[in-house]
Amino acid sequence: RGGSIIMMIRATKLQAKLPNMTTATAAMRMHSPLTGTKRVAIIGAGVAGMQTVNQLNEIGFACTVFDQNSDVGGVWRENYAEFCLQVPYELYEFPGFPYTEQERTDKFPRGPAVQAYVQRFAEANGVYNNAKFSTKVTGVKSKPAGGWAVLHQRVDSKHEEQDDFDYCVVATGMYSKPHVPELPGRPRFQGQVMHSSAFTEASMAEGKKVLVVGGGKSAIDCAVVAGNYARSSTLLFRKAHWPVPRKLLDLVPFKWGTYSRFGHFMLTPHHDMGSIKAACHTLATPIKYAWWRIVETMFLFQFGLSGDRVPTTPID
């Protein structure tokens, strides 16, 4: 109906398609021996790109950042309505660059506050001094003599330019291009269909019947925000995921249980763990199994989960 909105919360596709490059959060390849100051192209000015600039600047590399948007921040620059951190701010900060007292007013800062923090980090580390914003990288070519040729153009221009670098780091992340699948019967739907990234104002749901498709954090956030303004807000998901509270049983901050030596020990052992540690994990398997079943029971009680809201996949 005309008074309805469907928001698609789906996995997104990596936008940058760069030939001869590894498609990864950050990929670097060396072609020439270290002689003099090395130039590095960093594609993407999100959190990963900013941290890469910081680390490479410290060891004397000359970095140039490319981003098709007008500023640093990546997903924090702009996103769905009322988005925020899902972990406490102290677990989401650049090493050696803590939030200021003024920035610590909210334990789980909203998007604009995190963006301001990222901008402050970029300013402090000279990112703005040598960055090409509103610039799209159209290709990366390996040079016969070593290094990389980076092809790029302004988003408001068709003129393509080339700059040469010794290294190239791809830090484009996963969320640069929204993916909205074509569904049977969609042409007959008279309401509005949008991706979560286009749901930038909560008032867009005012007085409407909203259906949010997806079961991850973005989907739940959008369903909750829409529910504060819409006639109704419904969450449609393929399978339920285990929710994690900010405080376990409303008493203990979840970071003490998940981001601790105890919490990590209770997880699946790492593949390259030594024989002694692996043996300890094997002996502790019954204890670990019992622990996670207790955690599941605790979450079922705390969130009041029942029916199809109970995940079928073990939490561990």
Side-chain angles (χ1 to χ4, degrees):
R1 302 193 177 190
S4 302
I5 295 179
I6 294 183
M7 285 180 287
M8 299 295 181
I9 318 294
R10 296 294 296 266
T12 55
K13 297 179 178 178
L14 190 66
Q15 185 170 14
K17 297 180 179 178
L18 306 177
N20 304 318
M21 289 292 290
T22 301
T23 304
T25 303
M28 181 181 290
R29 181 178 176 185
M30 182 173 67
H31 271 250
S32 58
L34 293 174
T35 55
T37 301
K38 292 298 177 179
R39 300 185 64 211
V40 183
I42 299 175
I43 307 173
V47 172
M50 294 300 92
Q51 180 63 0
T52 303
V53 172
N54 180 41
Q55 295 298 311
L56 294 182
N57 279 345
E58 287 184 358
I59 56 177
F61 287 75
C63 300
T64 298
V65 181
F66 295 87
D67 199 289
Q68 64 182 353
N69 296 305
S70 59
D71 201 353
V72 301
V75 295
W76 298 108
R77 189 187 62 84
E78 184 179 28
N79 215 311
Y80 55 83
E82 300 184 22
F83 70 109
C84 64
L85 278 179
Q86 60 181 334
V87 296
Y89 64 80
E90 64 268 23
L91 298 181
Y92 196 91
E93 62 183 20
F94 295 106
F97 197 83
Y99 287 82
T100 64
E101 289 296 329
Q102 294 76 13
E103 293 171 330
R104 297 178 184 179
T105 55
D106 190 346
K107 193 70 171 176
F108 298 84
R110 294 199 178 276
V114 179
Q115 171 66 0
Y117 167 76
V118 175
Q119 289 173 320
R120 186 168 63 85
F121 178 84
E123 184 69 34
N125 288 277
V127 174
Y128 289 111
N129 297 336
N130 199 14
K132 296 180 182 293
F133 294 113
S134 301
T135 301
K136 184 176 182 179
V137 173
T138 56
V140 175
K141 298 180 180 179
S142 177
K143 301 180 64 178
W148 300 92
V150 177
L151 306 176
H152 56 89
Q153 65 183 43
R154 296 275 304 178
V155 294
D156 56 356
S157 171
K158 295 183 179 180
H159 175 65
E160 189 174 70
E161 299 182 30
Q162 175 181 317
D163 285 316
D164 297 334
F165 297 89
D166 296 286
Y167 306 94
C168 186
V169 178
V170 178
T172 52
M174 302 167 56
Y175 305 107
S176 57
K177 187 176 181 180
H179 174 56
V180 180
E182 288 294 332
L183 300 175
R186 177 176 170 181
R188 298 193 301 272
F189 179 66
Q190 299 179 14
Q192 185 178 2
V193 179
M194 67 173 66
H195 187 269
S196 60
S197 60
F199 181 54
T200 55
E201 296 291 339
S203 58
M204 296 169 66
E206 187 86 44
K208 303 182 186 299
K209 297 172 63 178
V210 178
L211 173 66
V212 181
V213 181
K217 179 184 183 298
S218 300
I220 295 173
D221 284 350
C222 288
V224 171
V225 171
N228 294 328
Y229 294 83
R231 289 167 51 195
S232 66
S233 179
T234 302
L235 183 66
L236 179 66
F237 50 87
R238 182 181 292 113
K239 63 178 182 180
H241 300 281
W242 284 103
V244 178
R246 292 182 173 181
K247 289 187 176 182
L248 306 177
L249 293 178
D250 293 327
L251 297 173
V252 182
F254 82 91
K255 68 175 183 178
W256 293 357
T258 53
Y259 297 95
S260 63
R261 292 185 182 275
F262 172 79
H264 280 220
F265 179 80
M266 288 297 176
L267 296 174
T268 302
H270 199 263
H271 70 89
D272 64 351
M273 187 173 291
S275 57
I276 296 179
K277 290 184 178 180
C280 291
H281 276 275
T282 300
L283 293 174
T285 297
I287 299 176
K288 293 165 68 174
Y289 177 85
W291 165 252
W292 288 116
R293 302 296 78 76
I294 292 173
V295 172
E296 290 177 354
T297 302
M298 180 172 61
F299 287 176
L300 290 173
F301 168 76
Q302 185 167 351
F303 288 102
L305 302 178
S306 61
D308 58 5
R309 294 187 298 164
V310 178
T312 56
T313 303
I315 194 171
D316 53 333

